[in-house]
């Protein structure tokens, strides 16, 4: 291998899809049209029931699938853990509060939601 330059994508292989997430959460998939989801998120945002804007849904729906073939070919990189194992560790870390506090997450929780409602965060100008 020579000297490589530039960025390499390192991601889950195979890509994480809805079936992977459903298995992880022991959930059943149901087909809901995107406009219905978008309308529900809009209502929840304006009721201060969710902390992120409805536009985040559209952003997430447009995230491209990463191709790791360059890293595999040029670096000989292969993943050593399954996407499910990585996600399980991630969610366990969220549940237990593992890691360092970050400003967006440090005050998250019921008290933060009440504060958002009281201060009008997320309301229209």
């Amino acid at each position: 291998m020579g000297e490589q330059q530039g960025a390499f994508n390192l991601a889950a292989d195979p890509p994480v899809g809805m079936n992977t997430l459903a298995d992880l959460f022991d959930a059943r998939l149901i087909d809901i049209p995107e406009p219905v989801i978008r309308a529900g998120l809009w209502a929840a945002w304006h009721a201060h029931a969710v902390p992120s804007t409805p536009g985040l849904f559209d952003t997430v729906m447009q995230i491209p699938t990463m191709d790791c073939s360059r890293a595999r070919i040029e670096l000989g990189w292969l993943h050593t853990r399954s996407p499910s194992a990585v996600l399980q560790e991630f969610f366990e870390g969220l549940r237990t509060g593992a890691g360092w506090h970050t400003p967006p997450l440090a005050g998250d929780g019921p008290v933060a939601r009440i504060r958002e409602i009281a201060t009008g965060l997320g309301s229209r100008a």
Side-chain angles (χ1 to χ4, degrees):
M1 274 190 276
E3 186 175 317
Q4 284 74 26
Q5 295 182 344
F8 288 85
N9 292 330
L10 301 179
D13 192 22
V16 174
M18 294 306 295
N19 288 326
T20 302
L21 294 173
D23 288 344
L24 190 66
F25 291 115
D26 196 26
R28 184 173 53 97
L29 291 176
I30 57 173
D31 191 25
I32 301 174
E34 286 185 24
V36 173
I37 295 171
R38 199 173 286 108
L41 287 171
W42 182 90
W45 165 251
H46 289 285
H48 302 280
V50 295
S52 57
T53 66
L56 181 60
F57 173 74
D58 293 317
T59 301
V60 169
M61 294 303 291
Q62 295 174 16
I63 293 175
T65 301
M66 297 181 78
D67 178 4
C68 301
S69 60
R70 180 173 178 232
R72 188 171 33 257
I73 293 165
E74 294 184 32
L75 302 176
W77 177 83
L78 294 173
H79 68 278
T80 57
R81 301 183 62 208
S82 72
S84 293
V86 172
L87 285 170
Q88 285 174 333
E89 184 176 336
F90 171 72
F91 291 126
E92 179 62 22
L94 288 178
R95 262 192 304 277
T96 62
W100 296 329
H101 287 291
T102 59
L105 300 177
D108 206 18
V111 173
R113 296 291 82 76
I114 292 168
R115 190 175 304 117
E116 287 175 6
I117 293 168
T119 61
L121 182 65
S123 60
R124 291 184 177 187

